[in-house]
Amino acid sequence: WPRVGMASIPSSFVPSLAAAVTAVAAVVTANVARKEKKKKSFEAKREVSPNSETVFIMVSGDRSQVGKSSVCLGLLGSLLETGIATPQQIAYIKPATQCEKPTLISKFCRSRNIQSMPIGPVVYFSGFTRSFLNGKQPSSNVLLDKIFAAVKKISQGKKYVIVDGVGYPAVGSITGTSNAQIAAKLNVPVVLVGGKGVGNAVDSTNLNTAYFNSFGSVHACMMVVLGTYNNYLPVGERERERERE
């Protein structure tokens, strides 16, 4: 038998190794079949975006407190200042949230007469996960349907709708309502907000993009990560970069 380093594989071990390989192959085959079945099932009942006449953009971050709200405010403000849209043509919604306190975005929307829903149909209150696992909350599909309905309702008559994510991409995954799963349900493109840096920023972008795309492929929807906005550049860092150049 072929050698592995300085030791050869005992002949008595070969049957066990073959059985292990066969078992792994069976699991892989079963997983592929299950994904295909899930994909076909989703395609059969797949919904398009909540409103085909509206431009949707979902803003998600690679971690909590990375600046999603600032980017959402920037997008809303830019739409108004450039004259691309009037306040009546814009809407903002945070379909899932961990915070029920008034936010800067909700205050901004009220001051500009922009229709908003800063607290959506899914609220991750303390104990929500355990309550969900104990069967005391609606199923994942029901929660996603509620989110879809809320986004569809607020998008009526709007040209642009900003969909604000919560935490990092996988927040809510245990209940089937992560940012990626919500984006897949809504069939909307995503802008990722990341932190400062180069190597870590790119690594984080690749990791989170792969997470979003995994749900896009499973659900057969047009999941697109439009790009990444790297936030929180320290004061003076831009000048130092120029000096190094």
Side-chain angles (χ1 to χ4, degrees):
W1 294 103
R3 291 182 175 274
V4 180
M6 296 299 293
S8 61
I9 300 175
S11 58
S12 60
F13 181 69
V14 173
S16 298
L17 179 61
V21 171
T22 301
V24 170
V27 170
V28 171
T29 301
N31 282 338
V32 170
R34 187 160 52 248
K35 281 189 175 183
E36 283 299 317
K37 183 178 179 180
K38 190 185 271 189
K39 180 178 178 180
K40 290 178 180 178
S41 173
F42 188 87
E43 285 179 324
K45 58 180 181 180
R46 180 185 169 197
E47 296 172 283
V48 297
S49 60
N51 189 337
S52 59
E53 298 179 356
T54 304
V55 175
F56 295 89
I57 297 177
M58 182 173 188
V59 178
S60 182
D62 67 357
R63 71 200 73 155
S64 298
Q65 305 299 318
V66 76
K68 294 186 299 296
S69 296
S70 297
V71 173
C72 287
L73 279 170
L75 289 171
L76 292 170
S78 294
L79 288 171
L80 294 176
E81 289 183 15
T82 57
I84 293 176
T86 65
Q88 292 71 34
Q89 296 174 317
I90 306 171
Y92 164 86
I93 182 171
K94 193 176 184 75
T97 184
Q98 295 171 309
C99 179
E100 297 183 77
K101 297 179 181 178
T103 63
L104 184 59
I105 294 184
S106 63
K107 294 176 181 177
F108 176 84
C109 288
R110 281 199 303 271
S111 69
R112 299 297 193 280
N113 294 318
I114 296 174
Q115 187 177 357
S116 66
M117 190 177 185
I119 302 176
V122 177
V123 178
Y124 300 126
F125 58 81
S126 179
F128 180 84
T129 299
R130 191 171 296 278
S131 177
F132 175 86
L133 295 176
N134 289 333
K136 296 179 180 180
Q137 297 297 325
S139 67
S140 300
N141 288 336
V142 171
L143 292 174
L144 288 173
D145 285 341
K146 286 184 176 181
I147 288 172
F148 189 94
V151 174
K152 181 176 182 178
K153 182 177 180 180
I154 204 170
S155 70
Q156 299 304 309
K158 307 300 180 184
K159 288 180 64 177
Y160 299 93
V161 173
I162 305 300
V163 182
D164 196 354
V166 54
Y168 47 91
V171 167
S173 61
I174 193 169
T175 61
T177 54
S178 69
N179 290 276
Q181 288 163 303
I182 290 174
K185 175 68 175 180
L186 299 176
N187 196 14
V188 297
V190 178
V191 171
L192 277 172
V193 181
K196 64 183 179 66
V198 180
N200 182 60
V202 173
D203 294 343
S204 180
T205 296
N206 289 333
L207 176 65
N208 289 298
T209 299
Y211 182 72
F212 272 101
N213 287 339
S214 70
F215 285 96
S217 60
V218 169
H219 294 319
C221 74
M222 297 301 291
M223 176 78 75
V224 177
V225 176
L226 294 175
T228 302
Y229 178 85
N230 293 100
N231 207 11
Y232 288 131
L233 188 65
V235 176
E237 182 64 25
R238 194 179 302 278
E239 286 72 19
R240 286 193 289 271
E241 285 291 338
R242 288 171 179 168
E243 289 176 2
R244 283 194 285 266
E245 290 175 358

